[in-house]
């Protein structure tokens, strides 16, 4: 990132100043900011101690004698990251540059997330994973390596009809990147009734697997909008009639098939009673969550997820960030 740092004192303009302290201050700023010397080198060059140089540089900034201009196009990204962190209480916001407000940001978000997730992985880590197109697209950007004692836990059931974005397939591929042990949920993501869900959780040991989420060092989540035919609906697990009724119930999208309203709370709907996934209540109690998502159709559900799940880290694109920083809809 390029930056211009310009001492603006009376150097080479008009009559020379008779203020020795001012001359020393501007000379120190020139040597440090323009010529790139260390504070110790500047102190040696000017014949003073380093503490004096620190004070001179600070005073030069206060007086406006040094102006720093960030010329990189990434400057606006950094500003938006800081604003997101402050608005939503994030430990970190990671923004990928996007080419336009209407473009699909999946690939650029996946690339940024892949780099971040690669750095998260270490020996004996236990990581929980969700599913979706963005997370699946992240796989090629992850730096795989053999780790000792690593575990990958799927946070929801599988999709028998899915072609590319099966939660179980994603969790398995992710685990293989690190020679990690994989823990999958041996059940569909949505079952036929609340009674079936209860039976699977209570009598078939699935609740134990769901409980493993609470042992995770970090979980990777994505979310899906509901205004269009996104991945969940193409699989046939949620019908068009159910999609419309979910919207009527106030749903703005889902996280792990937990359909949420604009405040991030599960809507009262039969689909929510039939999903085999870690609940929103459980997710909200986890200490380290990474939300990876973006796009126009996901803005509302991302905002809702930020409110209720309170992730530590958000990975999205700059256009989505602009919408998230706008007034709540």
């Amino acid at each position: 990132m390029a930056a211009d740092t310009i001492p603006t004192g009376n150097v080479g303009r008009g009559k020379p100043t008779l203020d020795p302290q001012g001359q020393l201050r501007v000379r120190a700023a020139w040597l440090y900011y323009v010529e790139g010397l260390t504070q110790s080198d500047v102190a040696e060059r000017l014949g003073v101690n380093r503490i004096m140089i620190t004070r001179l540089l600070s005073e030069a900034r206060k007086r406006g004698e040094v102006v720093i201009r960030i010329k990189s196009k990434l400057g606006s990204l950094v500003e938006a990251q800081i604003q997101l962190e402050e608005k939503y209480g994030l430990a970190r916001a990671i923004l990928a540059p996007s080419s336009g407000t209407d473009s699909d940001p999946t690939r650029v978000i996946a690339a940024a997330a892949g780099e971040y997730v690669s750095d998260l992985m270490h020996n004996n880590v236990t990581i929980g994973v969700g599913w979706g197109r963005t997370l699946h697209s992240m796989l090629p950007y992850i730096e795989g390596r053999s780790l000792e004692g690593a575990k990958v836990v799927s946070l929801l059931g599988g999709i028998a009809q899915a072609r590319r974005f099966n939660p179980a397939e994603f969790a398995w591929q992710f685990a293989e990147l690190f020679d990690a042990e994989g823990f999958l949920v041996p059940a569909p993501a949505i079952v036929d009734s609340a009674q079936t869900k209860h039976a699977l959780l209570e009598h078939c040991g699935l609740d134990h697997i769901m409980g493993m989420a609470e042992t995770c060092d970090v979980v990777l989540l994505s979310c899906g909008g509901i205004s269009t035919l996104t991945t969940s609906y193409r699989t046939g697990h949620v019908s068009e009639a159910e999609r419309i009724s979910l919207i009527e119930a106030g749903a703005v999208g889902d996280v792990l098939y937990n359909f949420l309203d604009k405040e991030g709370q599960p809507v009262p709907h039969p689909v929510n009673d039939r999903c085999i996934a870690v609940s929103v209540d459980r997710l909200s109690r986890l200490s380290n969550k990474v939300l990876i998502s973006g796009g126009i159709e996901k803005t509302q559900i991302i905002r809702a997820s930020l409110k209720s799940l309170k992730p530590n880290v958000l990975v999205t694109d700059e256009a989505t960030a602009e919408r998230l920083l706008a007034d709540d809809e």
Side-chain angles (χ1 to χ4, degrees), residues 62-127:
K62 288 179 181 178
R63 289 171 173 265
E65 293 171 337
V66 172
V67 178
I68 299 175
R69 293 201 301 261
I70 306 297
K71 297 179 68 175
S72 170
K73 293 180 179 179
L74 297 180
S76 61
L77 282 185
V78 174
E79 181 180 6
Q81 287 170 351
I82 294 171
Q83 290 176 348
L84 281 172
E85 290 162 2
E86 292 177 347
K87 180 173 182 177
Y88 292 103
L90 297 162
R92 185 176 178 187
I94 300 171
L95 301 186
S98 54
S99 57
T101 57
D102 296 328
S103 61
D104 183 0
T106 299
R107 187 175 295 277
V108 294
I109 295 172
E115 181 178 359
Y116 176 73
V117 170
S118 297
D119 292 338
L120 286 180
M121 301 302 294
H122 56 80
N123 290 336
N124 301 310
V125 68
T126 299
I127 186 163

Side-chain angles (χ1 to χ4, degrees), residues 21-57:
Q21 186 73 5
Q23 287 192 39
L24 184 64
R25 190 170 57 244
V26 175
R27 287 184 67 192
W30 181 274
L31 293 171
Y32 182 72
Y33 289 110
V34 179
E35 296 193 17
L37 273 63
T38 66
Q39 290 189 17
S40 296
D41 290 339
V42 174
E44 184 178 354
R45 179 80 67 87
L46 298 182
V48 298
N49 61 49
R50 192 180 62 81
I51 295 176
M52 173 66 75
I53 296 301
T54 301
R55 291 174 178 171
L56 289 172
L57 294 175

Side-chain angles (χ1 to χ4, degrees), residues 242-308:
E242 286 172 325
R243 183 182 76 88
I244 293 173
S245 65
L246 279 163
I247 293 174
E248 291 172 347
V252 295
D254 77 287
V255 177
L256 303 179
Y257 270 129
N258 295 288
F259 287 88
L260 311 179
D261 63 21
K262 65 180 181 179
E263 299 301 323
Q265 300 304 310
V267 298
H269 193 280
V271 170
N272 275 345
D273 298 330
R274 297 189 283 118
C275 72
I276 304 292
V278 175
S279 67
V280 171
D281 181 58
R282 240 174 187 161
L283 288 173
S284 65
R285 295 198 300 266
L286 302 181
S287 59
N288 194 0
K289 300 177 285 287
V290 181
L291 181 62
I292 303 169
S293 201
I296 295 176
E297 77 284 357
K298 297 183 181 181
T299 304
Q300 281 190 303
I301 184 60
I302 294 172
R303 183 181 285 122
S305 301
L306 289 169
K307 288 180 179 179
S308 66

